[in-house]
């Protein structure tokens, strides 16, 4: 790959702002080259934007990479390496160019005197508000290493659960894609061909065949209407699902689906308990910890219940009594958190509950394919039967006419 020219502003070892140009094969290599010269790059801009560079700049930062960054930072800070140097060291070794650039900007802000949480504020869209708020509380109480370790563990568990769900859905998704293509071929080519043959021989078509022929004719002749309609409808549905009312309605709908509903609730409760434990461990007060955990759960119902619990605790109520009136907390969760409140070990018990819900959600995700596959088999068999009957019923009538 040919080298590209990068223009940069940077800070030298004396804290003076300098600018210039360097040649490198990638953004990451440019950052490393400038760092080796004792410069702290503030930003980089390529003079020639080829397709590969544009693709690299759009490189997605995955949850797994943020978890690895957090774990590395915890190790380096625990080794008493200054925070700014630790961040620069991580940026130099980071293979993801976008994350390396972001970490370099954070390092520059930290070395200029900002706290870590304040340096991460411009990148809240990447790290998340809960992540930054937790870091802020940890810096205030001096528990940064412990909180970073817990954050890395939480992110790794969350990514593992998501990966399990993706793996479980890969095979059913491929089967559905093949099924859609097969049905499209049958409806667009096979059924109309047999329909014309039957009509040419004067065979009276049964109702099932006529219905399939009407559907096939509509699909072929009006595709310029229904294809854009599906696209527009899908976009509208996606936007609606991001609104408060749409998200709540979708949450209620998915919550009633067998297997899927319990899995989503377990995943949300695991996130809630992870953040609740982490916030309490980092020195956040109980009410603020409930608010943080509710927002991090990703479920509107659980967030609303967390606000109600926080309000009752604010007025002097006990956590256990407040949870009893909320449907989002099952009896096991209430008992264990109640035991933690009574014994004064609420952060530890919340972490235990989070691990239990993590295990439950992962087990359910692994069984998801086992539940979906028989349903797919039944659906495929039903579609094949309908098409076969639509073709063979008039064929039998045609054989009778010939006889």
């Amino acid at each position: 790959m040919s080298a590209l020219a990068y223009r940069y502003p940077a800070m030298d070892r004396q804290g003076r702002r300098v600018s210039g140009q360097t040649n490198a094969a990638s953004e990451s290599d440019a950052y490393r080259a400038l760092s080796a010269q004792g410069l702290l790059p503030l930003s980089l801009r390529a003079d020639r934007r080829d397709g590969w560079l544009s693709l690299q700049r759009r490189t997605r930062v995955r949850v797994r990479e943020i978890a690895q960054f957090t774990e590395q930072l915890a190790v380096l800070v625990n080794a008493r390496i200054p925070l700014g140097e630790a961040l620069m060291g991580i940026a130099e070794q980071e293979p993801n160019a976008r994350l390396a650039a972001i970490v370099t900007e954070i390092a520059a802000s930290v070395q200029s005197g900002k706290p870590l949480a304040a340096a991460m504020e411009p990148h809240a869209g990447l790290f998340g508000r809960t992540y930054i708020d937790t870091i802020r509380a940890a810096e205030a109480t001096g528990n940064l290493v412990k909180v970073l370790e817990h954050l890395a563990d939480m992110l790794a568990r969350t990514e593992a659960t998501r990966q399990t769900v993706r793996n479980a859905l890969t095979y059913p998704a491929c089967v559905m894609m093949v099924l859609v293509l097969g049905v499209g071929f049958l409806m667009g080519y096979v059924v109309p061909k047999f329909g014309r043959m039957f009509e040419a021989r004067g065979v009276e078509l049964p109702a099932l065949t006529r219905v399939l022929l009407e559907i096939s004719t509509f699909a072929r002749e009006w595709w310029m209407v229904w294809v854009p309609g599906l696209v527009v409808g899908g976009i509208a549905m996606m936007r609606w699902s991001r609104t408060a009312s749409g998200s709540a309605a979708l949450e209620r709908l998915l919550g009633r689906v067998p297997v899927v509903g319990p899995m989503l609730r377990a995943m949300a409760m695991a996130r809630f308990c992870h953040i609740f434990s982490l916030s309490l461990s980092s020195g956040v007060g109980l009410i603020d910890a409930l608010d943080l955990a509710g927002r991090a759960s990703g479920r509107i119902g659980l967030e609303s219940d967390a606000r109600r619990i926080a309000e009752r605790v604010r007025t002097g109520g006990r956590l256990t009594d407040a949870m009893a009136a909320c449907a989002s907390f099952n009896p096991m969760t209430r008992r264990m958190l109640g035991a933690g409140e009574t014994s004064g070990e609420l952060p530890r018990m919340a972490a235990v509950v989070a691990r239990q819900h993590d295990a439950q959600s992962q087990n359910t995700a692994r069984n998801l394919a086992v539940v979906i596959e028989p349903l797919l088999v039944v659906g495929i068999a039903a579609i094949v039967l309908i098409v076969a009957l639509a073709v063979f019923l008039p064929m039998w009538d045609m054989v009778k006419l010939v006889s």
Side-chain angles (χ1 to χ4, degrees):
M1 183 184 301
S2 60
L4 299 175
Y6 290 89
R7 295 188 178 276
Y8 63 87
M11 302 290 289
D12 62 13
R13 289 191 175 94
Q14 286 74 40
R16 293 174 300 190
R17 185 183 179 92
V18 297
S19 60
Q21 178 176 304
T22 186
N23 295 325
S26 67
E27 243 181 13
S28 181
D29 290 342
Y31 273 107
R32 294 189 183 102
L34 292 172
S35 298
Q37 299 172 23
L39 298 176
L40 182 62
L42 301 178
S43 65
L44 285 177
R45 181 174 59 84
D47 281 350
R48 180 171 64 83
R49 299 184 180 183
D50 60 13
W52 181 87
L53 179 62
S54 298
L55 178 63
Q56 187 190 46
R57 285 188 170 181
R58 292 194 296 269
T59 299
R60 179 182 173 190
V61 179
R62 301 181 182 277
V63 175
R64 180 181 65 254
E65 293 170 326
I66 297 178
Q68 291 171 350
F69 157 75
T70 307
E71 185 176 7
Q72 291 170 356
L73 185 59
V75 171
L76 294 175
V77 173
N78 192 39
R80 301 187 182 281
I81 296 175
L83 188 56
E85 294 182 17
L87 289 165
M88 282 303 303
I90 294 173
E92 291 172 3
Q93 301 299 321
E94 175 57 49
N96 186 314
R98 184 183 173 208
L99 183 57
I102 290 172
V103 174
T104 302
E105 291 179 19
I106 295 172
S109 298
V110 169
Q111 290 182 338
S112 68
K114 284 187 178 181
L116 178 60
M120 287 181 166
E121 280 289 348
H123 310 288
L126 174 66
F127 293 100
R129 176 55 52 193
T130 303
Y131 186 105
I132 295 174
D133 288 344
T134 307
I135 293 291
R136 181 177 291 108
E139 287 183 298
T141 57
N143 292 328
L144 185 59
V145 174
K146 181 179 179 181
V147 169
L148 285 171
E149 291 173 346
H150 288 179
L151 275 173
D153 179 67
M154 182 195 71
L155 291 171
R157 288 175 181 272
T158 301
E159 180 62 16
T161 302
R162 289 177 179 172
Q163 187 62 45
T164 303
V165 174
R166 283 194 291 267
N167 293 340
L169 293 178
T170 298
Y171 172 74
C174 293
V175 172
M176 285 297 297
M177 185 179 300
V178 173
L179 177 62
V180 169
L181 293 175
V183 170
F185 173 74
L186 291 174
M187 297 295 292
Y189 179 76
V190 176
V191 172
K193 192 170 184 179
F194 275 97
R196 288 192 296 269
M197 181 183 69
F198 295 143
E199 290 176 355
R201 285 162 176 74
V203 178
E204 184 179 353
L205 299 179
L208 179 60
T209 307
R210 290 198 303 270
V211 169
L212 288 185
L213 283 173
E214 290 294 333
I215 295 174
S216 174
T217 301
F218 174 81
R220 285 183 291 110
E221 296 182 358
W222 295 91
W223 64 268
M224 72 291 293
V225 175
W226 63 264
V227 170
L230 285 178
V231 173
V232 172
I235 294 174
M237 182 66 69
M238 289 177 59
R239 290 186 175 180
W240 173 75
S241 66
R242 292 171 184 167
T243 63
S245 59
S247 179
L250 187 62
E251 182 178 301
R252 289 193 298 270
L253 177 64
L254 292 176
R256 297 190 181 99
V257 178
V259 182
V260 175
M263 181 185 68
L264 293 178
R265 286 193 291 271
M267 291 172 66
M269 186 55 69
R271 285 194 298 270
F272 175 90
C273 291
H274 273 303
I275 294 299
F276 188 51
S277 170
L278 194 56
S279 300
L280 293 174
S281 299
S282 62
V284 177
L286 179 58
I287 295 173
D288 291 335
L290 286 167
D291 180 61
L292 276 174
R295 287 189 280 115
S297 68
R299 284 183 69 85
I300 295 176
L302 183 52
E303 182 179 354
S304 177
D305 283 346
R307 284 198 299 267
R308 284 197 293 270
I309 293 172
E311 187 60 34
R312 290 195 59 178
V313 171
R314 185 180 289 109
T315 57
R318 294 181 68 246
L319 178 65
T320 309
D321 298 334
M323 286 191 299
C326 298
S328 299
F329 296 85
N330 60 35
M332 183 273 292
T333 301
R334 292 199 298 267
R335 283 196 297 270
M336 295 192 70
L337 292 181
E341 182 185 26
T342 303
S343 62
E345 296 186 348
L346 188 55
R348 186 178 70 83
M349 292 305 294
V352 171
V353 174
R355 288 193 293 270
Q356 290 180 345
H357 283 291
D358 274 329
Q360 178 188 346
S361 60
Q362 290 199 22
N363 290 334
T364 307
R366 292 189 190 99
N367 295 328
L368 194 58
V370 178
V371 176
I372 292 177
E373 287 173 13
L375 298 177
L376 284 177
V377 171
V378 172
I380 293 172
I383 292 173
V384 171
L385 177 62
I386 291 171
V387 175
L389 288 175
V391 171
F392 287 112
L393 284 177
M395 189 174 293
W396 293 329
D397 293 339
M398 186 172 67
V399 170
K400 291 179 183 178
L401 286 176
V402 173
S403 301

Short mmCIF file of all heavy atoms in Angstrom, two decimals, residues 210-252:
data_model
loop_
_atom_site.label_atom_id
_atom_site.label_comp_id
_atom_site.label_asym_id
_atom_site.label_seq_id
_atom_site.Cartn_x
_atom_site.Cartn_y
_atom_site.Cartn_z
N ARG A 210 -56.29 -20.54 -7.86
CA ARG A 210 -56.66 -19.19 -8.30
C ARG A 210 -56.08 -18.13 -7.37
O ARG A 210 -55.61 -17.08 -7.81
CB ARG A 210 -58.18 -19.05 -8.39
CG ARG A 210 -58.81 -19.85 -9.51
CD ARG A 210 -60.23 -19.35 -9.82
NE ARG A 210 -61.08 -19.39 -8.63
CZ ARG A 210 -61.83 -20.45 -8.29
NH1 ARG A 210 -61.80 -21.55 -9.06
NH2 ARG A 210 -62.58 -20.42 -7.22
N VAL A 211 -56.13 -18.40 -6.08
CA VAL A 211 -55.58 -17.43 -5.11
C VAL A 211 -54.08 -17.25 -5.33
O VAL A 211 -53.57 -16.12 -5.37
CB VAL A 211 -55.88 -17.89 -3.67
CG1 VAL A 211 -55.08 -17.05 -2.66
CG2 VAL A 211 -57.36 -17.81 -3.36
N LEU A 212 -53.35 -18.36 -5.49
CA LEU A 212 -51.90 -18.25 -5.70
C LEU A 212 -51.58 -17.55 -7.01
O LEU A 212 -50.63 -16.77 -7.09
CB LEU A 212 -51.27 -19.64 -5.67
CG LEU A 212 -51.18 -20.33 -4.31
CD1 LEU A 212 -50.41 -21.64 -4.43
CD2 LEU A 212 -50.51 -19.44 -3.27
N LEU A 213 -52.39 -17.81 -8.05
CA LEU A 213 -52.17 -17.13 -9.32
C LEU A 213 -52.41 -15.63 -9.21
O LEU A 213 -51.67 -14.82 -9.78
CB LEU A 213 -53.08 -17.73 -10.40
CG LEU A 213 -52.63 -19.07 -10.98
CD1 LEU A 213 -53.70 -19.64 -11.90
CD2 LEU A 213 -51.31 -18.91 -11.73
N GLU A 214 -53.44 -15.24 -8.44
CA GLU A 214 -53.70 -13.81 -8.23
C GLU A 214 -52.55 -13.15 -7.47
O GLU A 214 -52.12 -12.04 -7.82
CB GLU A 214 -55.01 -13.62 -7.46
CG GLU A 214 -56.26 -13.97 -8.25
CD GLU A 214 -56.47 -13.02 -9.42
OE1 GLU A 214 -56.01 -11.86 -9.33
OE2 GLU A 214 -57.07 -13.44 -10.42
N ILE A 215 -52.05 -13.85 -6.48
CA ILE A 215 -50.92 -13.30 -5.72
C ILE A 215 -49.69 -13.17 -6.62
O ILE A 215 -48.98 -12.15 -6.61
CB ILE A 215 -50.60 -14.20 -4.50
CG1 ILE A 215 -51.77 -14.17 -3.51
CG2 ILE A 215 -49.31 -13.75 -3.82
CD1 ILE A 215 -51.60 -15.13 -2.35
N SER A 216 -49.44 -14.20 -7.44
CA SER A 216 -48.30 -14.17 -8.34
C SER A 216 -48.43 -13.05 -9.36
O SER A 216 -47.45 -12.33 -9.63
CB SER A 216 -48.17 -15.52 -9.06
OG SER A 216 -47.17 -15.48 -10.03
N THR A 217 -49.64 -12.87 -9.92
CA THR A 217 -49.85 -11.81 -10.90
C THR A 217 -49.64 -10.43 -10.28
O THR A 217 -48.99 -9.56 -10.87
CB THR A 217 -51.28 -11.91 -11.47
OG1 THR A 217 -51.44 -13.19 -12.08
CG2 THR A 217 -51.52 -10.83 -12.51
N PHE A 218 -50.18 -10.25 -9.08
CA PHE A 218 -50.00 -8.96 -8.40
C PHE A 218 -48.53 -8.68 -8.13
O PHE A 218 -48.04 -7.57 -8.34
CB PHE A 218 -50.78 -8.95 -7.08
CG PHE A 218 -50.54 -7.73 -6.25
CD1 PHE A 218 -51.19 -6.54 -6.52
CD2 PHE A 218 -49.62 -7.76 -5.19
CE1 PHE A 218 -50.95 -5.41 -5.76
CE2 PHE A 218 -49.38 -6.64 -4.42
CZ PHE A 218 -50.05 -5.46 -4.72
N ALA A 219 -47.79 -9.72 -7.67
CA ALA A 219 -46.37 -9.53 -7.33
C ALA A 219 -45.56 -9.17 -8.56
O ALA A 219 -44.64 -8.34 -8.49
CB ALA A 219 -45.82 -10.79 -6.68
N ARG A 220 -45.89 -9.76 -9.72
CA ARG A 220 -45.11 -9.51 -10.93
C ARG A 220 -45.48 -8.18 -11.59
O ARG A 220 -44.62 -7.48 -12.11
CB ARG A 220 -45.30 -10.66 -11.92
CG ARG A 220 -44.54 -11.93 -11.53
CD ARG A 220 -44.68 -13.04 -12.55
NE ARG A 220 -46.03 -13.58 -12.58
CZ ARG A 220 -46.90 -13.41 -13.57
NH1 ARG A 220 -46.56 -12.68 -14.61
NH2 ARG A 220 -48.09 -13.95 -13.53
N GLU A 221 -46.77 -7.85 -11.59
CA GLU A 221 -47.21 -6.67 -12.32
C GLU A 221 -47.18 -5.39 -11.50
O GLU A 221 -47.15 -4.29 -12.07
CB GLU A 221 -48.63 -6.91 -12.86
CG GLU A 221 -48.70 -8.03 -13.88
CD GLU A 221 -50.10 -8.21 -14.45
OE1 GLU A 221 -51.01 -7.47 -13.99
OE2 GLU A 221 -50.28 -9.08 -15.31
N TRP A 222 -47.20 -5.51 -10.19
CA TRP A 222 -47.24 -4.33 -9.32
C TRP A 222 -46.04 -4.24 -8.40
O TRP A 222 -46.11 -3.62 -7.33
CB TRP A 222 -48.53 -4.33 -8.49
CG TRP A 222 -49.76 -4.20 -9.32
CD1 TRP A 222 -50.51 -5.20 -9.86
CD2 TRP A 222 -50.37 -2.98 -9.74
NE1 TRP A 222 -51.55 -4.70 -10.58
CE2 TRP A 222 -51.50 -3.33 -10.52
CE3 TRP A 222 -50.09 -1.63 -9.53
CZ2 TRP A 222 -52.33 -2.36 -11.09
CZ3 TRP A 222 -50.91 -0.68 -10.09
CH2 TRP A 222 -52.01 -1.05 -10.86
N TRP A 223 -44.90 -4.82 -8.84
CA TRP A 223 -43.74 -4.78 -7.97
C TRP A 223 -43.26 -3.35 -7.74
O TRP A 223 -42.67 -3.06 -6.69
CB TRP A 223 -42.60 -5.61 -8.59
CG TRP A 223 -42.11 -5.06 -9.90
CD1 TRP A 223 -42.54 -5.39 -11.14
CD2 TRP A 223 -41.09 -4.08 -10.06
NE1 TRP A 223 -41.87 -4.68 -12.09
CE2 TRP A 223 -40.95 -3.86 -11.46
CE3 TRP A 223 -40.27 -3.37 -9.19
CZ2 TRP A 223 -40.04 -2.95 -11.99
CZ3 TRP A 223 -39.35 -2.47 -9.71
CH2 TRP A 223 -39.24 -2.27 -11.08
N MET A 224 -43.50 -2.46 -8.71
CA MET A 224 -43.05 -1.08 -8.53
C MET A 224 -43.86 -0.35 -7.45
O MET A 224 -43.49 0.75 -7.04
CB MET A 224 -43.13 -0.31 -9.86
CG MET A 224 -44.53 0.02 -10.33
SD MET A 224 -45.49 -1.43 -10.86
CE MET A 224 -44.55 -1.89 -12.31
N VAL A 225 -44.93 -0.98 -6.98
CA VAL A 225 -45.73 -0.40 -5.91
C VAL A 225 -45.38 -1.04 -4.57
O VAL A 225 -45.09 -0.34 -3.58
CB VAL A 225 -47.24 -0.57 -6.20
CG1 VAL A 225 -48.06 -0.07 -5.00
CG2 VAL A 225 -47.62 0.19 -7.46
N TRP A 226 -45.38 -2.39 -4.53
CA TRP A 226 -45.22 -3.02 -3.22
C TRP A 226 -43.76 -3.05 -2.74
O TRP A 226 -43.50 -3.03 -1.52
CB TRP A 226 -45.82 -4.42 -3.20
CG TRP A 226 -45.21 -5.44 -4.12
CD1 TRP A 226 -45.63 -5.78 -5.37
CD2 TRP A 226 -44.07 -6.27 -3.84
NE1 TRP A 226 -44.84 -6.76 -5.90
CE2 TRP A 226 -43.86 -7.08 -4.98
CE3 TRP A 226 -43.21 -6.40 -2.76
CZ2 TRP A 226 -42.84 -8.01 -5.06
CZ3 TRP A 226 -42.18 -7.32 -2.83
CH2 TRP A 226 -42.00 -8.13 -3.97
N VAL A 227 -42.78 -3.07 -3.67
CA VAL A 227 -41.38 -3.05 -3.22
C VAL A 227 -41.03 -1.71 -2.54
O VAL A 227 -40.52 -1.71 -1.41
CB VAL A 227 -40.42 -3.35 -4.39
CG1 VAL A 227 -38.97 -3.08 -3.99
CG2 VAL A 227 -40.57 -4.79 -4.85
N PRO A 228 -41.32 -0.54 -3.19
CA PRO A 228 -41.09 0.72 -2.46
C PRO A 228 -41.94 0.83 -1.20
O PRO A 228 -41.50 1.42 -0.20
CB PRO A 228 -41.47 1.80 -3.49
CG PRO A 228 -41.36 1.13 -4.82
CD PRO A 228 -41.74 -0.29 -4.59
N GLY A 229 -43.15 0.26 -1.26
CA GLY A 229 -44.00 0.30 -0.07
C GLY A 229 -43.38 -0.43 1.10
O GLY A 229 -43.43 0.04 2.25
N LEU A 230 -42.78 -1.61 0.82
CA LEU A 230 -42.11 -2.35 1.88
C LEU A 230 -40.91 -1.58 2.43
O LEU A 230 -40.68 -1.55 3.65
CB LEU A 230 -41.65 -3.71 1.35
CG LEU A 230 -42.73 -4.78 1.15
CD1 LEU A 230 -42.11 -6.04 0.56
CD2 LEU A 230 -43.42 -5.10 2.46
N VAL A 231 -40.16 -0.94 1.53
CA VAL A 231 -38.98 -0.18 1.97
C VAL A 231 -39.40 1.00 2.85
O VAL A 231 -38.85 1.21 3.94
CB VAL A 231 -38.17 0.31 0.75
CG1 VAL A 231 -37.05 1.24 1.20
CG2 VAL A 231 -37.61 -0.87 -0.03
N VAL A 232 -40.39 1.76 2.35
CA VAL A 232 -40.86 2.92 3.13
C VAL A 232 -41.47 2.46 4.44
O VAL A 232 -41.24 3.07 5.51
CB VAL A 232 -41.88 3.73 2.30
CG1 VAL A 232 -42.53 4.82 3.15
CG2 VAL A 232 -41.21 4.35 1.08
N GLY A 233 -42.25 1.37 4.40
CA GLY A 233 -42.85 0.86 5.63
C GLY A 233 -41.80 0.41 6.63
O GLY A 233 -41.94 0.64 7.83
N GLY A 234 -40.73 -0.25 6.13
CA GLY A 234 -39.66 -0.68 7.02
C GLY A 234 -38.94 0.49 7.67
O GLY A 234 -38.65 0.47 8.87
N ILE A 235 -38.66 1.52 6.87
CA ILE A 235 -37.99 2.71 7.41
C ILE A 235 -38.88 3.40 8.45
O ILE A 235 -38.42 3.81 9.52
CB ILE A 235 -37.62 3.68 6.28
CG1 ILE A 235 -36.57 3.05 5.37
CG2 ILE A 235 -37.11 5.01 6.84
CD1 ILE A 235 -36.24 3.87 4.14
N ALA A 236 -40.18 3.51 8.13
CA ALA A 236 -41.12 4.14 9.07
C ALA A 236 -41.21 3.33 10.37
O ALA A 236 -41.25 3.91 11.47
CB ALA A 236 -42.50 4.27 8.42
N MET A 237 -41.21 2.00 10.23
CA MET A 237 -41.27 1.15 11.43
C MET A 237 -40.02 1.32 12.29
O MET A 237 -40.10 1.38 13.53
CB MET A 237 -41.43 -0.31 11.01
CG MET A 237 -41.57 -1.28 12.17
SD MET A 237 -43.10 -1.03 13.10
CE MET A 237 -44.31 -1.57 11.90
N MET A 238 -38.86 1.41 11.63
CA MET A 238 -37.62 1.60 12.39
C MET A 238 -37.63 2.93 13.13
O MET A 238 -37.25 3.01 14.31
CB MET A 238 -36.43 1.53 11.45
CG MET A 238 -36.13 0.13 10.91
SD MET A 238 -34.76 0.12 9.74
CE MET A 238 -33.43 0.77 10.75
N ARG A 239 -38.08 3.98 12.45
CA ARG A 239 -38.11 5.29 13.12
C ARG A 239 -39.13 5.30 14.26
O ARG A 239 -38.89 5.88 15.32
CB ARG A 239 -38.44 6.37 12.09
CG ARG A 239 -37.31 6.62 11.10
CD ARG A 239 -37.61 7.80 10.20
NE ARG A 239 -36.48 8.10 9.32
CZ ARG A 239 -36.47 9.08 8.43
NH1 ARG A 239 -37.56 9.85 8.29
NH2 ARG A 239 -35.41 9.29 7.69
N TRP A 240 -40.27 4.66 14.02
CA TRP A 240 -41.28 4.60 15.07
C TRP A 240 -40.77 3.83 16.29
O TRP A 240 -41.03 4.20 17.44
CB TRP A 240 -42.55 3.95 14.52
CG TRP A 240 -43.59 3.70 15.56
CD1 TRP A 240 -44.41 4.61 16.16
CD2 TRP A 240 -43.93 2.44 16.15
NE1 TRP A 240 -45.24 4.01 17.07
CE2 TRP A 240 -44.97 2.66 17.09
CE3 TRP A 240 -43.46 1.14 15.96
CZ2 TRP A 240 -45.53 1.65 17.82
CZ3 TRP A 240 -44.03 0.11 16.71
CH2 TRP A 240 -45.04 0.37 17.62
N SER A 241 -40.00 2.75 16.02
CA SER A 241 -39.50 1.94 17.14
C SER A 241 -38.49 2.71 17.99
O SER A 241 -38.22 2.31 19.13
CB SER A 241 -38.86 0.66 16.62
OG SER A 241 -37.70 0.94 15.87
N ARG A 242 -37.93 3.81 17.44
CA ARG A 242 -36.97 4.60 18.22
C ARG A 242 -37.64 5.68 19.04
O ARG A 242 -36.98 6.33 19.85
CB ARG A 242 -35.96 5.23 17.26
CG ARG A 242 -35.03 4.21 16.61
CD ARG A 242 -34.20 4.83 15.52
NE ARG A 242 -33.38 3.82 14.83
CZ ARG A 242 -32.74 4.02 13.71
NH1 ARG A 242 -32.83 5.21 13.11
NH2 ARG A 242 -32.03 3.06 13.15
N THR A 243 -38.93 5.90 18.83
CA THR A 243 -39.66 6.86 19.65
C THR A 243 -40.02 6.21 20.99
O THR A 243 -39.95 4.98 21.13
CB THR A 243 -40.93 7.33 18.94
OG1 THR A 243 -41.81 6.21 18.75
CG2 THR A 243 -40.60 7.94 17.58
N ALA A 244 -40.41 7.04 21.96
CA ALA A 244 -40.73 6.50 23.29
C ALA A 244 -41.92 5.55 23.23
O ALA A 244 -41.89 4.45 23.78
CB ALA A 244 -41.01 7.66 24.25
N SER A 245 -42.98 5.96 22.52
CA SER A 245 -44.18 5.11 22.44
C SER A 245 -43.90 3.86 21.63
O SER A 245 -44.33 2.76 22.00
CB SER A 245 -45.33 5.90 21.83
OG SER A 245 -44.98 6.35 20.52
N GLY A 246 -43.18 3.99 20.52
CA GLY A 246 -42.87 2.84 19.70
C GLY A 246 -41.98 1.84 20.41
O GLY A 246 -42.19 0.62 20.33
N SER A 247 -40.96 2.34 21.11
CA SER A 247 -40.06 1.46 21.84
C SER A 247 -40.80 0.72 22.94
O SER A 247 -40.58 -0.48 23.16
CB SER A 247 -38.92 2.29 22.44
OG SER A 247 -38.04 1.47 23.16
N ALA A 248 -41.70 1.42 23.64
CA ALA A 248 -42.47 0.77 24.70
C ALA A 248 -43.40 -0.30 24.12
O ALA A 248 -43.53 -1.39 24.69
CB ALA A 248 -43.28 1.82 25.47
N ALA A 249 -44.05 0.00 23.00
CA ALA A 249 -44.95 -0.98 22.38
C ALA A 249 -44.17 -2.20 21.90
O ALA A 249 -44.62 -3.35 22.09
CB ALA A 249 -45.70 -0.33 21.22
N LEU A 250 -43.02 -1.98 21.28
CA LEU A 250 -42.20 -3.10 20.81
C LEU A 250 -41.69 -3.93 21.98
O LEU A 250 -41.62 -5.16 21.90
CB LEU A 250 -41.02 -2.55 20.00
CG LEU A 250 -40.15 -3.58 19.28
CD1 LEU A 250 -40.99 -4.35 18.26
CD2 LEU A 250 -38.97 -2.90 18.59
N GLU A 251 -41.34 -3.26 23.06
CA GLU A 251 -40.87 -3.97 24.25
C GLU A 251 -41.97 -4.86 24.81
O GLU A 251 -41.72 -6.01 25.19
CB GLU A 251 -40.42 -2.95 25.30
CG GLU A 251 -39.86 -3.56 26.57
CD GLU A 251 -39.40 -2.49 27.54
OE1 GLU A 251 -38.51 -1.70 27.17
OE2 GLU A 251 -39.93 -2.44 28.67
N ARG A 252 -43.21 -4.34 24.87
CA ARG A 252 -44.33 -5.16 25.37
C ARG A 252 -44.60 -6.33 24.44
O ARG A 252 -44.88 -7.44 24.90
CB ARG A 252 -45.58 -4.29 25.50
CG ARG A 252 -45.53 -3.29 26.64
CD ARG A 252 -46.91 -2.70 26.91
NE ARG A 252 -47.40 -1.97 25.74
CZ ARG A 252 -47.20 -0.68 25.52
NH1 ARG A 252 -46.48 0.03 26.39
NH2 ARG A 252 -47.68 -0.07 24.45
#
